[in-house]
Amino acid sequence: MAKDHNNRTDKTNLPSRHVTIGPARAPHRSYYYAMGMTEEEIYQPLVGVATCWNEAAPCNIALNRQAQSVKLGVKTANGTPREFTTITVTDGIAMGHEGMRSSLASREAIADTVELTMRGHSYDAIVGLAGCDKSLPGMMMAMVRLNTPSVFIYGGSILPGRAPAGADVPADFANRDLTVQDMFEAVGRQQNGTLSEEALEVLERVACPSAGACGGQFTANTMACVSEAIGLALPNSSSAPAPYESRDQYGKASGEAVMNLIAKNIRARDIVTRQSLENAARVVACTGGSTNAGLHLPAIAHEAGIDFDLMDVCDIFRDTPYFVDLKPGGQYVAKDLYEVGGVPVVMRELRKAGLVHEDCITATGESIGHELDLIERNADGKVIYPVETPITATGGVVGLKGNLAPEGAIVKVAGMSAEEQSFTGPARVFESEEEAFEAVKKREYKEGEVLVIRNEGPSGGPGMREMLATTAALSGQGMGKKVALITDGRFSGATRGFCVGHVGPEAAHCGPIGLLQHGDMITINAVTGELSVDLTDDELAARKADWKGPKETIYASGALWKYAQLVGGAQKGAVTHPGAKEERHIYMDI
């Protein structure tokens, strides 16, 4: 960057000129001096280092340590880092109770608060650190919304746990890696009498042994892989576990990288394009990633003014081979992926099949094709299969449509045989997750039924809760493949079994899911992409005419009321504002 005659950075085109340059900004500069900043630091580019650090859960606890490495990188490259924090709601602790209603809404709060902090203080660029499910897309949404030079860095995954030798636990929990998914399923086992409370207490002490996000290819690790594939994160930065010192090296490199992006004026929307979104969807599909990517990728696209909805994501999933054997559908965890080369090796395999847009720019300032040219490692054949011999020929996540889901729905099929991917059965309708969980706990359902959980959509919930407690209980009862579930809410990235989420329109908007009755015959076919109910258009219209309106909730004020008023459908990412198509300015150009 050019320097003026006082050897200061030329801030003519940087937002921080509004708080650092000229006599009128002397009061502003006095605040910076009060914090110990030097004259040189004040006149350098100001880089927001945004973290979701908190003591809510292990996924966030290491972020403040990693932020110091990022700040060191920014300083090394002649920038001035300004650290700030925002919220997170951690799904594993919010799961299974009213707290889960806050989860998806927290994604918007993260994006909004990061935007407001950046705007309020006129920072020139951002490095965002996030560790938990909604904080990753929330941080990336803020970057794209602001359209500043941006680098994302994941806080890293947790290490797998293991029961101690000789512990009194069932054989299928001994001598193998454990994740929090096993704990939710262990609850189901304890409830049906096949696991003692004492064994449950042993497992809960060892399942999560360190800092970091849930270790399987659940939502956090899925979106971490997205951050690399979309280009906002440095290559191979996403899969190193949180306790590894290499995370600090990636942090420093990310701080240096953002200064390079400022120098080259490479902004978030130069990186996040329709093509890079498609690259990201490919990586989700081939790793058997979380269905929540079908919610978050459209939301990130929305911030850039790109049309890329749930069905567009599913189109990519449909013709992408599934070849990375990660939990919950497979055997391995994020640490194992890191040890065999991480996302770059995965993308190298995709490139062999012609499934990568190589011209997309990345946070390095170079194209993804250039970065993949530097990779020498090949698929190991255990964690990452060669793309020529995938686990299955199509992606681990499939889109569904039909008269029960005119706007679409999504189902995760990673690890399921073709025979397991179709299901027809009578509906058993529940008006909430709690009602369904109680029925499952008491085994008040029958093999062959389709359990319908409605009024859990973005607006009707409010908050589009995940249903891991219910699905894990079914799995623990040995019924995970003997019933199917559909919901206008979400299923967790850790969900197993035939579980359809994001059904739209949701019940609160008089979608067909809100018109179902006990015994209606439902067909789910992930091979053909069908989700239908055996009712004629006339029968559905008659039920719609008799619809009594959305189920009333207890949220008549506060943040969740506000969210319910603003939020749109799941098909377009459950977003709460008009997006880049309606914007009249770009923050970076003010």
Side-chain angles (χ1 to χ4, degrees):
M1 284 168 285
K3 298 281 185 177
D4 68 12
H5 63 279
N6 289 318
N7 201 34
R8 294 172 178 169
T9 300
D10 178 3
K11 293 193 175 186
T12 304
N13 297 311
L14 294 180
S16 67
R17 71 185 184 278
H18 296 301
V19 294
T20 58
I21 302 298
R25 298 308 180 232
H28 304 64
R29 291 191 294 272
S30 71
Y31 280 129
Y32 293 131
Y33 285 121
M35 292 183 282
M37 287 171 63
T38 65
E39 178 181 352
E40 181 182 23
E41 288 172 331
I42 291 169
Y43 288 101
Q44 289 179 156
L46 303 185
V47 177
V49 178
T51 87
C52 298
W53 177 85
N54 59 40
E55 294 182 334
C59 39
N60 309 310
I61 202 72
L63 294 176
N64 60 344
R65 181 201 89 216
Q66 294 179 30
Q68 308 319 306
S69 299
V70 171
K71 290 162 70 176
L72 178 60
V74 172
K75 290 177 180 178
T76 300
N78 301 313
T80 301
R82 307 312 298 156
E83 183 180 355
F84 65 94
T85 61
T86 185
I87 69 158
T88 46
V89 173
T90 297
D91 287 10
I93 288 178
M95 192 72 69
H97 56 91
E98 286 293 303
M100 179 49 76
R101 300 195 191 282
S102 299
S103 171
L104 187 57
S106 76
R107 185 191 73 181
E108 312 311 300
I110 290 163
D112 291 350
T113 51
V114 171
E115 177 196 0
L116 292 172
T117 303
M118 291 286 291
R119 283 185 181 276
H121 301 94
S122 297
Y123 294 153
D124 301 315
I126 182 172
V127 180
L129 298 92
C132 196
D133 294 7
K134 306 310 170 297
S135 60
L136 280 81
M139 192 66 73
M140 287 186 267
M141 287 162 66
M143 292 172 173
V144 179
R145 185 184 302 176
L146 291 160
N147 199 27
T148 62
S150 303
V151 178
F152 178 86
I153 182 162
Y154 181 41
S157 69
I158 203 166
L159 293 169
R162 188 165 288 241
D168 186 16
V169 298
D172 57 336
F173 284 100
N175 300 315
R176 69 170 177 87
D177 286 346
L178 299 172
T179 70
V180 73
Q181 172 194 351
D182 296 296
M183 290 311 308
F184 280 100
E185 294 181 4
V187 169
R189 294 271 293 272
Q190 191 271 329
Q191 288 169 347
N192 73 8
T194 60
L195 182 77
S196 70
E197 195 167 339
E198 291 74 20
L200 188 66
E201 290 179 359
V202 169
L203 293 170
E204 72 186 36
R205 285 173 167 80
V206 297
C208 299
S210 69
C214 304
Q217 193 66 340
F218 313 144
T219 305
N221 280 321
T222 297
M223 294 310 296
C225 292
V226 161
S227 72
E228 273 193 58
I230 212 168
L232 286 170
L234 295 180
N236 207 30
S237 65
S238 69
S239 51
Y244 283 18
E245 288 189 7
S246 56
R247 292 234 60 85
D248 298 317
Q249 295 163 12
Y250 283 118
K252 183 173 183 288
S254 296
E256 293 169 345
V258 81
M259 295 303 298
N260 177 52
L261 296 181
I262 294 174
K264 293 183 174 181
N265 193 28
I266 296 174
R267 306 181 185 187
R269 294 185 203 172
D270 298 320
I271 291 172
V272 177
T273 63
R274 170 72 189 222
Q275 288 70 35
S276 73
L277 287 159
E278 291 179 0
N279 286 345
R282 295 279 185 208
V283 168
V284 174
C286 74
T287 60
S290 169
T291 55
N292 283 319
L295 197 65
H296 301 321
L297 285 172
I300 294 169
H302 178 74
E303 301 291 354
I306 298 169
D307 290 323
F308 192 65
D309 67 15
L310 175 64
M311 289 298 104
D312 293 319
V313 176
C314 291
D315 286 343
I316 300 292
F317 290 167
R318 188 177 297 112
D319 64 356
T320 307
Y322 164 51
F323 59 85
V324 186
D325 193 25
L326 297 172
K327 289 176 181 287
Q331 301 180 61
Y332 298 99
V333 295
K335 175 182 75 74
D336 302 311
L337 178 61
Y338 178 64
E339 290 172 354
V340 298
V343 172
V345 174
V346 173
M347 294 192 74
R348 193 166 180 263
E349 290 300 312
L350 283 170
R351 180 166 75 166
K352 290 178 184 177
L355 297 177
V356 172
H357 298 290
E358 296 190 43
D359 292 338
C360 296
I361 202 76
T362 75
T364 65
E366 303 289 347
S367 71
I368 191 70
H370 171 84
E371 296 301 332
L372 294 179
D373 287 340
L374 304 177
I375 305 302
E376 297 179 353
R377 300 181 71 172
N378 293 306
D380 68 306
K382 288 175 56 182
V383 182
I384 306 172
Y385 285 57
V387 71
E388 301 86 358
T389 55
I391 300 167
T392 58
T394 59
V397 180
V398 173
L400 307 173
K401 265 194 173 181
N403 70 342
L404 187 44
E407 291 181 356
I410 196 166
V411 62
K412 188 171 184 175
V413 295
M416 296 174 68
S417 68
E419 295 74 29
E420 292 168 340
Q421 291 182 32
S422 61
F423 197 103
T424 298
R428 183 176 290 267
V429 180
F430 301 100
E431 302 299 339
S432 67
E433 181 192 10
E434 286 82 2
E435 189 178 307
F437 184 68
E438 285 303 310
V440 168
K441 195 163 65 171
K442 297 173 184 174
R443 305 209 53 152
E444 293 175 349
Y445 65 93
K446 296 177 182 175
E447 184 176 329
E449 289 183 327
V450 178
L451 310 187
V452 178
I453 307 174
R454 65 188 180 196
N455 303 306
E456 294 289 359
S459 179
M464 203 181 185
R465 289 189 292 176
E466 292 184 346
M467 308 292 164
L468 180 57
T470 302
T471 59
L474 284 166
S475 183
Q477 292 174 2
M479 297 294 284
K481 294 182 178 179
K482 297 177 181 178
V483 297
L485 281 86
I486 70 169
T487 182
D488 52 6
R490 296 178 294 133
F491 289 112
S492 165
T495 293
R496 294 195 293 178
F498 206 22
C499 302
V500 178
H502 305 202
V503 174
E506 61 175 293
H509 294 164
C510 197
I513 192 173
L515 308 176
L516 293 176
Q517 297 174 3
H518 292 303
D520 287 341
M521 291 301 293
I522 293 173
T523 296
I524 311 166
N525 191 322
V527 178
T528 62
E530 177 189 358
L531 177 58
S532 63
V533 57
D534 189 16
L535 294 171
T536 66
D537 291 347
D538 288 344
E539 287 170 321
L540 283 168
R543 291 189 186 182
K544 189 169 185 177
D546 289 337
W547 188 58
K548 301 298 188 289
K551 179 188 174 190
E552 193 170 303
T553 79
I554 61 172
Y555 297 96
S557 65
L560 288 172
W561 175 86
K562 190 188 309 181
Y563 179 79
Q565 311 311 306
L566 293 172
V567 70
Q571 176 194 19
K572 295 186 177 179
V575 294
T576 57
H577 71 110
K581 284 191 175 181
E582 299 298 324
E583 70 185 4
R584 298 183 183 180
H585 76 277
I586 290 175
Y587 161 75
M588 194 67 187
D589 296 329
I590 283 183

